Amino acid sequence: MYDAAKVKTLLDQRKPGHALPQAFYRDPAFYEFDLDAIFGRVWLFAGLDLDVPKPTGYVTLRIGRTSVILVRGLDGAIRGFFNTCRHRGAEICQAASDKTSRLVCPYHQWTYGLDGKLLVAGGMPKDFDRAGHGLKPIHLEVVAGTIFICLAATPPDFAPIRRSLEPLLAPHELSGGKIAHEATIIEKGNWKLVMENARECYHCPAQHPELMKCFPELRREPPFERDDAAFRAHCRTQGLEVGPFKVEGFEANRFALRGGARSFTIDGKPAVAKLLGQVGDGDVGSLRFALDPNSFAHATGDYAFLFFCLPKGPEETLVHMKWVVNRDAVEGVDYEVDRLTRLWNVTNDQDLWLVENNQRGVNSAGFEPGPYSPVSERTLIEFTDWYVSQARRALA
Ligand code: FES
Ligand SMILES: [Fe+2]
């Protein structure tokens, strides 16, 4: 458990435009606070509808101490539940992903339908209230093939996120694609250090030479403020919305890649011969969307890359990455997995070291929260300000 007064005291100590006090990055009690105040209350990016097997299947995700099931019912709809049996609380689904017609608890075989209803509870009295012991639902929204969940009993309004994301992402038709590759890595860093690193490109010129061949120079302005009228007009003539859309904790926009690059690849050329979705000539820059606290994604004309993290411990974070391509693209003919994934894999390896190295330094007795660059780390300032405001809201 955490001490709310102590969290408040340290929040009050944070200087505007500066990193957080050390405890927020490493203290187990502050990690518990984050699980409650952030991951227990706000909308989280949780993957793709392509993740959930058809016709009836599930995936599990672990958010700190809490495992959830995202399951596709007989009606095709995806629902979310806490992966906790209503008998004595055992975790029901064990696999990361599986197909099934029933959710059976391994302990005493209480059996639930894919809609969460309790169907079988052997040995319980005749008048036992089965209807009152269905799986506890979580809030779940699907937007243009992406899944968002919220563990709170009463979630924040999701409509602004949907309104911002749908018109930009829908043409990329992620639901009609296929996951060509996915990877999960553990970074030995607090989730906020993982996301702080993902929210700024101040470090990119020195640390990501490969990415910088196609990623716009961000030292001065984030991409959604670029004055690139020709690029935007080009996208619009192809029926593509460009944004920017920005609501609390979420932003989405389409921006031009650097030096004429058409895709996030080592040489800037497309990685996939078949385009993904209704993207005109495919020369459509990148649609970037990012949801606090845990994700960002880029969709170019030929593929979409999705990154989201989930906290695993005070100094441990699980990072999920997925690459989506046209369903009809044939591996070895239309794309090679190595070429498709190389740029983000190289970048993520570099970021993993940066995050873990940052954690080591933050753990030092000599750590004092330093100032963010108001020019090059503006989106990071927004991330940390968002965190602080959510934390204050939870304490209020
Ligand atoms: S804990 Fe699930 S059936 Fe007993
Ligand atoms: Fe990076």
Side-chain angles (χ1 to χ4, degrees), residues 69-82:
I69 316 167
L70 314 184
V71 57
R72 192 183 293 276
L74 293 164
D75 58 358
I78 301 171
R79 298 176 179 82
F81 300 99
F82 287 101

Side-chain angles (χ1 to χ4, degrees), residues 135 190 353:
L135 292 179
N190 182 271
W353 183 84

Side-chain angles (χ1 to χ4, degrees), residues 145-180:
T146 53
I147 297 177
F148 300 83
I149 59 172
C150 180
L151 305 186
T154 306
D157 185 9
F158 187 75
I161 298 173
R162 177 180 293 283
R163 268 201 307 274
S164 305
L165 180 57
E166 202 148 44
L168 275 162
L169 185 58
H172 291 270
E173 298 183 344
L174 298 192
S175 294
K178 67 172 178 181
I179 297 175

Side-chain angles (χ1 to χ4, degrees), residues 197-198 200-201 203-204 207-208 211 347-348 350-352 354:
N197 177 68
E200 52 91 358
C201 227
H203 68 278
C204 294
Q207 295 296 336
H208 298 313
L211 182 67
T347 303
N348 287 320
Q350 293 157 343
D351 281 329
L352 182 146
L354 292 169

Side-chain angles (χ1 to χ4, degrees), residues 87-390:
H87 177 219
R88 280 170 48 208
E91 285 192 347
I92 300 161
C93 299
Q94 308 296 311
S97 173
D98 204 356
K99 283 194 172 184
T100 184
S101 58
R102 293 271 195 278
L103 305 172
V104 183
C105 179
Y107 206 170
H108 313 94
Q109 283 73 53
W110 280 29
T111 300
Y112 304 86
L114 302 177
D115 56 2
K117 287 195 180 104
L118 178 61
L119 303 176
V120 179
M124 298 301 285
K126 271 208 175 68
D127 60 352
F128 169 60
D129 175 21
R130 278 193 174 69
H133 290 81
L135 292 179
K136 282 198 179 169
I138 60 169
H139 297 276
L140 185 149
E141 297 278 351
V142 180
V143 183
T146 53
I147 297 177
F148 300 83
I149 59 172
C150 180
L151 305 186
T154 306
D157 185 9
F158 187 75
I161 298 173
R162 177 180 293 283
R163 268 201 307 274
S164 305
L165 180 57
E166 202 148 44
L168 275 162
L169 185 58
H172 291 270
E173 298 183 344
L174 298 192
S175 294
K178 67 172 178 181
I179 297 175
H181 188 70
E182 58 190 316
T184 302
I185 56 171
I186 291 174
E187 299 194 3
K188 295 215 172 298
N190 182 271
W191 69 272
K192 291 188 288 300
L193 293 180
V194 174
M195 290 310 300
E196 286 188 18
N197 177 68
R199 282 290 185 268
E200 52 91 358
C201 227
Y202 192 17
H203 68 278
C204 294
Q207 295 296 336
H208 298 313
E210 299 84 359
L211 182 67
M212 286 312 288
K213 284 183 190 149
C214 30
F215 208 80
E217 179 64 61
L218 298 181
R219 275 185 184 275
R220 298 196 171 277
E221 295 173 340
F224 50 84
E225 288 179 356
R226 281 162 53 98
D227 179 20
D228 193 343
F231 168 75
R232 297 162 73 82
H234 176 73
C235 292
R236 287 207 168 101
T237 58
Q238 296 179 84
L240 293 174
E241 180 59 70
V242 290
F245 293 117
K246 202 162 191 247
V247 296
E248 188 187 14
F250 179 83
E251 62 184 21
N253 74 297
R254 200 180 300 281
F255 63 89
L257 298 184
R258 196 173 201 187
R262 292 172 70 119
S263 181
F264 280 117
T265 54
I266 292 290
D267 58 11
K269 294 180 183 150
V272 191
K274 291 187 166 71
L275 297 176
L276 177 63
Q278 304 301 313
V279 291
D281 62 6
D283 186 13
V284 293
S286 174
L287 160 59
R288 173 184 177 271
F289 62 92
L291 176 71
D292 294 333
N294 77 325
S295 69
F296 72 87
H298 285 276
T300 50
D302 59 334
Y303 79 95
F305 171 74
L306 304 110
F307 172 111
F308 68 103
C309 79
L310 294 170
K312 195 167 158 55
E315 296 182 35
E316 203 168 48
T317 303
L318 203 63
V319 172
H320 295 268
M321 292 166 287
K322 298 171 193 291
W323 287 258
V324 179
V325 304
N326 188 310
R327 180 182 293 171
D328 297 327
V330 178
E331 185 181 349
V333 177
D334 297 309
Y335 69 96
E336 303 287 347
V337 169
D338 180 61
R339 184 174 146 66
L340 171 70
T341 60
R342 176 92 59 91
L343 183 63
W344 285 115
N345 275 336
V346 165
T347 303
N348 287 320
D349 282 350
Q350 293 157 343
D351 281 329
L352 182 146
W353 183 84
L354 292 169
V355 167
E356 296 187 348
N357 185 57
N358 195 175
Q359 181 76 58
R360 285 189 288 274
V362 164
N363 288 350
S364 162
F367 172 70
E368 182 180 335
Y372 297 136
S373 160
V375 174
S376 303
E377 294 179 303
R378 197 179 67 75
T379 47
L380 169 52
I381 292 172
E382 287 172 0
F383 171 78
T384 305
D385 287 350
W386 174 88
Y387 171 84
V388 169
S389 75
Q390 293 299 323

